Amino acid sequence: MKITIVAVGQRRPAWADAAVKDFLDRLPADWAVTVREVKAEARDGKLRERLMAAEADRLRAACPAGAVVVALDERGKDWTTMQLAQALQGWRDEAQPVAFVIGGPDGLDDALKRNARVLLRLSSLTLPHALARVLLAEQIYRAWSVLANHPYHRA
């Protein structure tokens, strides 16, 4: 299973990086999860749509070729952990790489969201981007634990 977390922004608190690393380091070698960061567009008076379009170009370029794109958005589907695990299992069985895409401060470009295979919401709450990365890394680990019958996930 090859998963890439592609996110706008390069500065996060050390605790967030440590938490993401902790969850990803727990995964077995056959679950290769990498984090790719792209530069946020300068917010110097540009129109919001242009900012997001420029960031979307960077995000697309950072996604592996042929990856299933899962765009994180507050208006996305509200999956359970079990649904996420089932989706990951299906993509793994089809040998499809997966790219989870996290936008910048203004969110994701509409065209990128329309072209994503899945639009997924991590929470109905507004989350800081650093915390969204931690939550996503934890849920990927939890989904693996469900599929591996590991005791981390207790239903």
Side-chain angles (χ1 to χ4, degrees):
M1 178 94 227
K2 291 187 182 197
I3 300 172
T4 306
I5 299 171
V6 184
V8 173
Q10 297 165 312
R11 288 192 301 227
R12 285 156 324 286
W15 64 264
D17 286 339
V20 169
K21 182 178 180 338
D22 178 57
F23 285 116
L24 299 184
D25 285 350
R26 295 180 193 188
L27 292 165
D30 63 336
W31 277 61
V33 181
T34 57
V35 177
R36 290 186 182 166
E37 297 173 333
V38 301
K39 182 181 172 199
E41 187 70 8
R43 300 308 199 248
D44 52 1
K46 296 177 186 163
L47 292 176
R48 183 174 178 261
E49 291 76 23
R50 288 192 182 198
L51 295 169
M52 291 189 302
E55 291 171 349
D57 289 342
R58 293 182 189 122
L59 289 165
R60 281 186 206 94
C63 289
V68 171
V69 175
V70 179
L72 300 184
D73 184 78
E74 63 188 3
R75 291 172 221 45
K77 293 178 183 177
D78 192 17
W79 278 358
T80 65
T81 297
M82 298 304 283
Q83 288 171 304
L84 175 63
Q86 290 168 353
L88 288 170
Q89 180 178 28
W91 296 324
R92 181 191 64 194
D93 292 348
E94 296 169 2
Q96 291 189 282
V98 178
F100 288 93
V101 179
I102 303 173
D106 294 302
L108 288 171
D109 177 68
D110 285 337
L112 191 149
K113 291 190 286 189
R114 278 191 306 274
N115 292 323
R117 174 94 56 97
V118 177
L119 201 58
L120 180 64
R121 173 177 50 207
L122 288 178
S123 172
S124 295
L125 302 171
T126 301
L127 301 173
H129 286 215
L131 189 54
R133 287 189 198 194
V134 173
L135 183 56
L136 177 59
E138 191 278 340
Q139 284 299 297
I140 291 169
Y141 176 70
R142 186 174 294 273
W144 167 83
S145 75
V146 166
L147 298 174
N149 294 314
H150 186 278
Y152 181 80
H153 180 75
R154 293 170 183 89

